[in-house]
């Protein structure tokens, strides 16, 4: 398995804080947001330095290890590593603030840094990862949990561990940042920011940009809405509300109403999307919502321009044109120095010649010119910079961080209207002023967005970074967002003084220009009369409620919340909302009372509220018992009732919260008159009673009674029958509800013993039911109170979702938390009508990402359903299921591999799924493949190759066990061994042959491999001309195509071009190579399109879609959708 080339490591992983909890605790997007959110807060550069740590006896290290301390910028740092991984199968490595425990409160420092594991055989294979972070007491270390696979690190042939010694380097540049904890955006800038919901920075930067285009804001205000609309269900109203708050609030504004109006849930708010895509989707949605209103056509008036696509024949009089509209322009960054270069490229004329001639009506195939010219530009010009591209060579998305300038003033009339079509109106001057710069900081798989905006087009720029708004100078908004590289010189003595470079991952991603001739119209005034009266009234009311809550919070220390539970609450709740204990205190009436108020005055308030005279009220204090139940404990004494509310709360509550919980005991006679509660002595016990009906599986509250401690339950049976509505002599059984956590305890009450001997006291609960009649033959699921309470305690309604559709509930089942894996899949199979439950595999739910966990639940890997629903101390009610083709217990004993078999007789690839026992060897895999594919002849021998990024890194020995073979990141390829390879002469060589192109857009020439690599035999003394003939025959390439290829000996990524007369085997004599893939015969192609013109590579189309997913370690972001 090869080390990843450095140019492919940039976006492998988002830096995360070191943690001893599993990595999936936080969504990746949240980590990505936090990673770069401080990037542009930097004020002044401070010194930088490099520290090298040589770690001996590496394999003997087990737990986390710290390096020696080193100083950069006057601060003390150290490296932290987990040699065996931080709960992962990768080396985990972090930069740590060495003296974090003794620094003063509130400390923070910002650092840009890289961590490197040095390859001691070939330095170009050293693995280096960059990050940046604002270190503080909460996050004093930061780095990479999955720095590199342990298998690669501990493989002595790889070069990362030589003589059991590893070398680690840290490059650190320290910078000053503003302390934003005390920053008041409104006070400092006059503007407020937007709150981030999790990963909505991309949306916040776009909304701020649109808000600060006054004409757009005014149009939004004039969209028809009514006072009956709800913002969460109306995009226009939600956007109006958001803009109004941005205009009038003193603190940052939430966007939840707006995202709810989009139809998004919490999970959508934790998905980072593309700001350019959101811009298009939002404008299209608003354009649709504006139809038929006074602001219809606003989106087109602001953002719509037109260009003309043309094809013009050179030798005949024929021209084809097509007019198209655009809301934004996609400009190339790669290969362009600035915006003007991109426009030049946009209108560049393409010559259609040769096989690419244009078929002109009536004239046939003709040499022609093809291009684009602009008919008109919009008043607000949105330029989307193509910072993200799909790299066909690497088969992945990459971010283009190249240096790219954009001007403050943009003249699109330059060069006598070079960009304009003949029909363009030349009287309109297309000179634009830069209004805003949207920035992306990070990599292709995660990062952070923010915006630099000039709200009035003055010289003052403002940075809108989620909740924070700061004043910035023009240099930061323009030049520092050009991208490229930044060189940081070393200034610390004792360090390696060679400079090191950091790629600037923060760069402009979207530009908004406003045409000078439309400036007055676009930058118009927006005042109160533009805002609907109902909107102002609604938001004024919201502000008043917000102020009321703020005031209540500020005065909370002066008040106590009193929660009063009554008999009516128990009748209402027991058997419906609750089954255990007596009441849910969150659902009873509460009162906010000043602590200084005498309790006797509070009783007068209760009298007014419930119409219960003060002398008829008796209040009981609740107590939490040692068994975690919550019961009325004792009545208040007259002395306590003369105290203040605050003093009473202190008596009742040792937890020091603001609540006082009381039970109000009231006696009502048959004529519904209130009377004073009976005198209570120590002999009197207040008991509460619940009735259970096993035929209907119902439990309900029936009332309370005073009993004598020395009395017997037998004496109360007639009264209990009367309360239940039974015959006076009905036989009943009594059970005491003792506790329900962590398990239910409900024991039979002996009717012949006294209440005291039965250990009953004030506040206890007795559940009773009819005694089962002997010989009645009645059968009930839960025949008695204990079995019913056990059922209620353990029942769990689980929502099941098909694993392939993880956001859609398929069905729900009522299960028991005590169910085993077999019990659960049996219930699911019954619901689905499947005969074999063992073919159902379950996967748990990740409560943070709202997605299935990466790995399914192992068969009998957990004890109960409750264990399947737990995720990091949170309980879910979701399980995902899939239906397998073989039973799960059998599948778990097998290793499943996806293998691409290249047929020798056809230009095809067959994707085979191989399942074999885990102890099987590669030879067993190849034998299995033989039984499934067409071979050139029955005795054909096969081999298994490991291919990664179009290079062959390994030929598997037949005896190698398959258990540890990984087909998730590497392509496994099986093929027949050609006859000529079976009979190699003593001087014949088996070499690697790879296809490649040269990428000349970088600062240096870079090799990009593509297509299918293959092995090839070369003979002693054979010239390149001879080799070429055999390769052409093998690949079945036409003479025309083959003549355009160049042949080179490639060593360590550097091509040495060969002549036809060169002896090829003479080049393959090197022994100082790290792996066979480092030297190969390269076939250079000049066409920039992915090659499919030769036989071996034609098959790649069949499986590229499948393996491109496997070879990319991150999935692409989901498309933005606005549903309402």
């Amino acid at each position: 398995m090869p080390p990843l080339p450095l140019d492919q490591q940039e976006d492998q992983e988002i830096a995360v804080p070191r943690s001893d909890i599993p990595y999936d605790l936080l969504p990746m997007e949240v980590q990505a947001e936090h990673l770069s959110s401080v990037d542009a807060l930097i004020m002044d550069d401070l010194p930088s330095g490099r520290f090298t740590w040589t770690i001996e006896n590496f394999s003997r290290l087990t737990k986390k290890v710290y390096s020696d301390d080193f100083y950069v910028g006057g601060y003390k740092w150290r490296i932290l590593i987990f040699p065996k991984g931080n709960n992962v199968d990768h080396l985990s490595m972090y930069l740590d603030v060495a003296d974090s425990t003794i620094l003063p409160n509130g400390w923070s420092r910002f650092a840009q840094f890289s961590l490197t594991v040095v390859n001691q055989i070939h330095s170009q294979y050293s693995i280096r990862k960059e990050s940046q972070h604002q270190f503080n007491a909460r996050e004093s270390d930061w780095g990479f949990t999955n720095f590199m696979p342990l298998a690669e690190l501990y493989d002595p042939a790889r070069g990362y561990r030589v003589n059991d010694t590893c070398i680690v380097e840290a490059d650190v540049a320290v910078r000053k940042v503003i302390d934003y904890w005390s920053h008041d955006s409104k006070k400092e800038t006059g503007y407020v920011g937007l709150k981030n919901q999790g990963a909505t920075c991309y949306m916040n930067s776009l909304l701020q940009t649109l808000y600060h285009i006054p004409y757009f804001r005014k149009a939004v205000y004039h969209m028809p809405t009514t006072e009956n609309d709800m913002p969460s269900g109306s995009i226009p109203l939600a956007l109006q509300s958001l803009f109004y708050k941005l205009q009038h609030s003193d603190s940052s504004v939430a966007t939840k109403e707006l995202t709810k109006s989009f139809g998004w849930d919490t999970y959508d708010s934790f998905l980072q999307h593309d700001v350019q895509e959101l811009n298009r989707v939002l404008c299209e949605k608003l354009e649709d919502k504006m139809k038929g209103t006074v602001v219809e056509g606003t989106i087109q008036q602001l953002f719509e321009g037109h260009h003309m696509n043309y094809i013009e024949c050179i030798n005949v009089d024929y021209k084809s044109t097509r007019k198209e509209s655009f809301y934004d322009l996609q400009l190339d960054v790669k290969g362009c120095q600035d915006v003007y270069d991109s426009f030049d490229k946009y209108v560049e004329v393409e010559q259609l010649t040769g096989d690419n001639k244009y078929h002109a009506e009536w004239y046939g195939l003709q040499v022609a010119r093809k291009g684009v010219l602009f008919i008109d530009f919009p008043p607000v010009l949105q330029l989307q910079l193509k910072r993200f591209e799909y790299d066909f060579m690497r088969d992945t998305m990459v971010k283009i961080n190249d240096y790219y300038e954009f001007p403050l003033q943009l003249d699109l009339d330059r060069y006598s209207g070079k960009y304009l079509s003949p029909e363009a109106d030349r009287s309109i001057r297309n000179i634009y002023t830069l209004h805003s710069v949207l920035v992306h900081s990070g990599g292709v798989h995660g990062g952070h967005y923010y915006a630099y905006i000039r709200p009035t087009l003055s010289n003052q720029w403002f940075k809108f970074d989620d909740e924070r708004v700061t004043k910035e100078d023009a240099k930061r908004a323009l030049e520092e967002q050009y991208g490229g590289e930044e060189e940081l010189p070393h200034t610390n003595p004792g360090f390696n003084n060679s400079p090191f470079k950091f790629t600037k991952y923060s760069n402009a991603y979207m530009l908004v220009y406003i045409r000078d001739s439309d400036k007055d119209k676009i930058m118009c005034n927006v005042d109160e009369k533009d805002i609907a009266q109902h909107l102002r009234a609604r938001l004024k009311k919201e502000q008043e409620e917000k102020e009321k809550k703020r005031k209540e919070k500020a005065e909370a220390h002066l008040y106590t919340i009193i929660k009063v539970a009554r008999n009516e609450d128990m009748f209402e709740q027991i058997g419906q909302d609750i089954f255990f204990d007596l009441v849910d205190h969150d659902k009873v009436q509460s009162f906010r009372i000043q602590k200084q108020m005498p309790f006797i005055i509070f009783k007068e308030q209760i009298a007014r509220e419930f119409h219960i005279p003060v002398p008829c009220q008796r209040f009981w204090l609740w107590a939490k018992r040692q068994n975690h139940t919550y019961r009325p404990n004792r009545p208040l004494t007259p002395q306590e009732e003369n105290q203040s509310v605050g003093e009473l709360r202190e008596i009742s509550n040792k937890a020091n919260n603001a609540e006082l919980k009381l039970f109000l005991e009231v006696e009502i006679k048959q004529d519904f008159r209130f009377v004073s509660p009976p005198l209570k002595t120590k002999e009197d016990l207040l008991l509460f009673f619940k009735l259970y009906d096993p035929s209907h599986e119902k439990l309900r509250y029936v009332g309370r009674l005073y009993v004598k401690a020395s009395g017997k339950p037998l004496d109360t049976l007639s009264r209990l029958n009367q309360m239940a509505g039974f015959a006076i002599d009905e036989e009943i059984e009594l059970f005491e509800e003792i506790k329900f956590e962590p398990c239910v305890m409900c024991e039979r009450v002996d009717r012949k013993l006294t209440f005291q001997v039965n250990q009953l006291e004030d506040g206890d609960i007795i559940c009773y039911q009819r005694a089962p009649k002997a010989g009645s033959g009645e059968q009930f699921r839960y025949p008695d109170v204990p079995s019913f309470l056990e059922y209620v305690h353990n029942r769990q309604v689980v929502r099941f979702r098909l694993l392939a559709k993880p956001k859609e509930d398929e069905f729900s089942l009522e299960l028991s938390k005590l169910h085993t894996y077999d019990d659960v899949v049996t219930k699911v199979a019954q619901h689905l009508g499947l005969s074999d439950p063992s073919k159902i595999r379950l996967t748990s739910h990740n409560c943070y990402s709202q997605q299935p966990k990466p790995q399914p639940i192992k068969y009998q890997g957990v004890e109960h359903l409750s264990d399947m629903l737990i995720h990091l101390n949170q309980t879910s009610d979701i399980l995902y299921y899939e239906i397998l083709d073989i039973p799960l217990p059998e599948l778990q004993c097998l290793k499943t591999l996806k293998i691409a078999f290249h047929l020798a007789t056809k230009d095809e690839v067959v994707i085979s799924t191989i399942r074999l026992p885990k102890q099987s060897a590669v030879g067993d895999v190849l034998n299995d493949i033989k039984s499934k594919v067409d071979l050139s002849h029955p005795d054909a021998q096969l081999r298994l190759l490991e291919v990664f990024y179009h290079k062959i890194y390994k030929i598997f020995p037949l005896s190698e066990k398959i258990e540890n073979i990984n087909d998730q990141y590497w392509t496994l390829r099986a093929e027949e061994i050609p006859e000529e390879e079976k009979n190699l002469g003593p001087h014949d060589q088996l070499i690697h042959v790879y296809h490649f192109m040269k990428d000349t857009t970088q600062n240096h020439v870079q090799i990009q491999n593509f297509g299918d690599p293959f092995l090839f035999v070369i003979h002693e003394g054979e010239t390149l001309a001879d080799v070429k003939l055999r390769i052409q025959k093998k690949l079945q390439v036409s003479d025309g195509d083959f003549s355009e290829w160049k042949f080179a000996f490639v060593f360590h990524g550097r091509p040495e071009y060969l002549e036809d007369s060169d002896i090829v085997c003479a080049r393959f004599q090197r022994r100082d190579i790290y792996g066979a893939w480092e030297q190969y015969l390269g076939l250079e192609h000049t066409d920039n399109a992915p090659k499919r013109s030769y036989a071996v590579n034609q098959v790649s189309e069949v499986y590229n879609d499948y393996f491109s997913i496997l070879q990319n370690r991150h999935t692409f972001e989901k498309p933005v959708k606005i549903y309402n």
Side-chain angles (χ1 to χ4, degrees), residues 28 181 290 429 459 631 677 712 722 755 1030:
M28 186 186 75
W181 298 109
M290 289 177 175
R429 293 302 313 278
N459 292 328
R631 307 286 174 81
K712 298 179 180 178
Q722 183 182 359
F755 288 102
R1030 293 198 294 122

Side-chain angles (χ1 to χ4, degrees), residues 124-137:
Q124 71 269 30
Y125 286 111
S126 297
I127 296 180
R128 179 174 183 260
K129 294 190 177 183
E130 300 176 6
S131 185
Q132 54 192 26
H133 182 59
Q134 185 165 2
F135 294 83
N136 52 53

Side-chain angles (χ1 to χ4, degrees), residues 463-489:
K463 180 186 173 192
F464 293 83
D465 185 356
D466 287 338
E467 290 134 36
R468 298 183 292 265
V469 186
T470 53
K471 290 183 178 180
E472 304 289 350
D473 58 28
K475 180 182 178 184
R476 181 164 296 282
L478 277 72
E479 296 172 28
E480 295 194 14
Q481 309 313 320
Y482 290 163
E485 290 185 329
E486 182 177 12
E487 188 173 290
L488 301 172

Side-chain angles (χ1 to χ4, degrees), residues 940-1093:
Q941 295 180 25
L942 305 187
R943 64 184 167 209
L944 186 64
L945 310 176
E946 179 185 84
V947 179
F948 183 70
Y949 280 115
H950 317 288
K951 291 184 178 183
I952 297 170
Y953 283 95
K954 185 173 183 177
I955 303 173
F956 287 94
L958 294 178
S959 60
E960 182 168 338
K961 301 296 182 186
I962 66 171
E963 185 172 7
N964 296 321
I965 293 179
N966 189 340
D967 65 345
Q968 289 189 335
Y969 303 137
W970 330 108
T971 302
L972 298 181
R973 188 174 98 192
E975 63 187 19
E976 291 187 22
I977 302 176
E979 288 298 322
E980 67 173 346
E981 292 185 25
K982 298 177 185 177
N983 303 301
L984 291 178
H987 301 293
D988 292 340
Q989 293 187 57
L990 187 64
I991 66 169
H992 291 221
V993 184
Y994 303 156
H995 301 274
F996 76 93
M997 294 181 191
K998 283 195 300 187
D999 182 0
T1000 57
T1001 60
Q1002 306 293 328
N1003 295 331
H1004 56 280
V1005 176
Q1006 192 171 343
I1007 292 293
Q1008 299 279 16
N1009 293 102
F1010 71 96
D1012 290 330
F1014 57 95
L1015 302 173
F1016 193 74
V1017 175
I1018 56 173
H1019 308 298
E1020 184 181 17
E1022 193 173 23
T1023 65
L1024 177 63
D1026 299 327
V1027 170
K1028 285 167 68 174
L1029 287 174
R1030 293 198 294 122
I1031 287 179
Q1032 183 179 3
K1033 181 180 178 181
K1034 178 181 176 69
L1035 300 184
Q1036 302 174 31
V1037 187
S1038 67
D1039 291 342
D1041 289 338
F1042 195 73
S1043 64
E1044 296 181 5
W1045 295 4
K1046 294 180 181 179
F1047 283 69
F1049 170 72
V1050 183
F1051 181 68
H1052 285 167
R1054 294 186 295 274
E1056 300 174 12
Y1057 292 94
L1058 303 176
E1059 300 293 336
D1060 284 353
S1061 59
D1062 287 342
I1063 304 299
V1064 178
C1065 64
R1067 299 299 183 107
F1068 288 86
Q1069 304 299 323
R1070 307 283 301 249
R1071 292 291 179 265
D1072 58 333
I1073 59 170
Y1074 182 49
W1077 62 86
E1078 282 197 348
Q1079 60 173 8
Y1080 59 86
L1081 182 62
L1083 312 183
E1084 184 186 353
H1085 302 252
T1086 54
D1087 186 4
N1088 288 326
K1091 298 300 176 202
R1092 295 174 52 239
S1093 60

Side-chain angles (χ1 to χ4, degrees), residues 1104-1117:
N1104 258 3
D1105 287 343
Y1106 173 77
F1107 279 114
S1108 66
I1109 296 172
L1110 295 184
Q1111 288 191 352
N1112 284 299
R1113 302 179 72 163
H1114 300 280
T1115 55
F1116 295 111
E1117 59 195 14

Side-chain angles (χ1 to χ4, degrees), residues 730-982:
E730 182 76 42
E731 278 295 312
I732 56 176
E733 294 181 336
L734 279 63
F735 302 86
E736 182 191 1
E737 179 190 315
I738 299 173
K739 68 171 186 173
F740 55 92
E741 290 295 349
C743 57
V744 172
M745 183 180 287
C746 183
E747 296 181 349
R748 191 179 296 273
V749 174
D750 192 327
R751 299 184 301 176
K752 298 177 181 178
L753 300 178
T754 66
F755 288 102
Q756 187 172 12
V757 173
N758 275 297
Q759 297 184 347
L760 291 165
E761 58 186 50
D762 280 325
D764 278 345
I765 300 170
I766 292 179
C767 303
Y768 65 99
Q769 65 180 88
R770 279 193 173 102
K773 292 181 172 58
S776 67
E778 291 181 315
Q779 297 289 326
F780 302 115
R781 277 203 314 167
Y782 308 107
D784 55 26
V785 172
S787 63
F788 176 73
L789 291 181
E790 190 75 36
Y791 153 70
V792 170
H793 181 255
N794 291 306
R795 71 178 172 182
Q796 173 72 54
V797 176
V798 179
R799 294 182 286 151
F800 286 90
R801 299 176 178 179
L802 199 59
L803 187 64
K805 299 178 180 178
K807 291 198 76 172
E808 301 175 16
D809 287 346
E810 291 278 326
F811 57 89
S812 296
L813 295 178
E814 184 183 282
L815 305 172
S816 169
K817 295 174 185 174
L818 299 179
H819 274 162
T820 65
Y821 193 99
D822 287 330
D823 295 332
V824 175
V825 294
T826 299
K827 294 282 187 181
V828 173
Q830 289 172 356
H831 179 85
L832 296 174
L834 296 177
S835 58
D836 189 353
S838 67
K839 290 185 178 180
I840 294 175
R841 181 162 65 180
L842 303 175
T843 300
S844 294
H845 180 68
N846 184 319
C847 298
Y848 289 93
S849 69
Q850 297 296 310
Q851 288 286 290
K853 288 187 178 180
Q855 300 299 325
I857 302 169
K858 289 185 177 180
Y859 177 65
Q860 296 183 342
V862 294
E863 193 169 352
H864 297 123
L865 172 64
S866 55
D867 303 313
M868 303 180 206
L869 299 176
I870 289 289
H871 174 66
L872 298 176
N873 298 323
Q874 287 202 23
T875 301
S876 164
D877 64 347
I878 298 171
L879 283 177
Y880 303 88
Y881 74 94
E882 56 186 316
I883 302 172
L884 306 172
D885 56 346
I886 63 173
L888 178 59
E890 182 182 335
L891 178 64
Q892 285 191 178
C893 296
L894 303 177
K895 174 74 174 182
T896 302
L897 295 174
K898 286 274 195 301
I899 296 177
F901 179 74
H902 289 230
L903 277 74
T905 56
K906 301 178 184 177
D907 300 333
E908 293 181 17
V909 166
V910 176
I911 305 297
S912 296
T913 300
I914 306 297
R915 285 184 183 143
L916 290 172
K918 292 180 178 179
Q919 296 307 311
S920 302
V922 169
D924 300 315
V925 172
L926 296 176
N927 289 332
D928 192 77
I929 291 176
K930 285 181 180 181
S931 67
K932 297 180 178 179
V933 299
D934 295 329
L935 301 175
S936 61
H937 57 89
D939 297 327
Q941 295 180 25
L942 305 187
R943 64 184 167 209
L944 186 64
L945 310 176
E946 179 185 84
V947 179
F948 183 70
Y949 280 115
H950 317 288
K951 291 184 178 183
I952 297 170
Y953 283 95
K954 185 173 183 177
I955 303 173
F956 287 94
L958 294 178
S959 60
E960 182 168 338
K961 301 296 182 186
I962 66 171
E963 185 172 7
N964 296 321
I965 293 179
N966 189 340
D967 65 345
Q968 289 189 335
Y969 303 137
W970 330 108
T971 302
L972 298 181
R973 188 174 98 192
E975 63 187 19
E976 291 187 22
I977 302 176
E979 288 298 322
E980 67 173 346
E981 292 185 25
K982 298 177 185 177

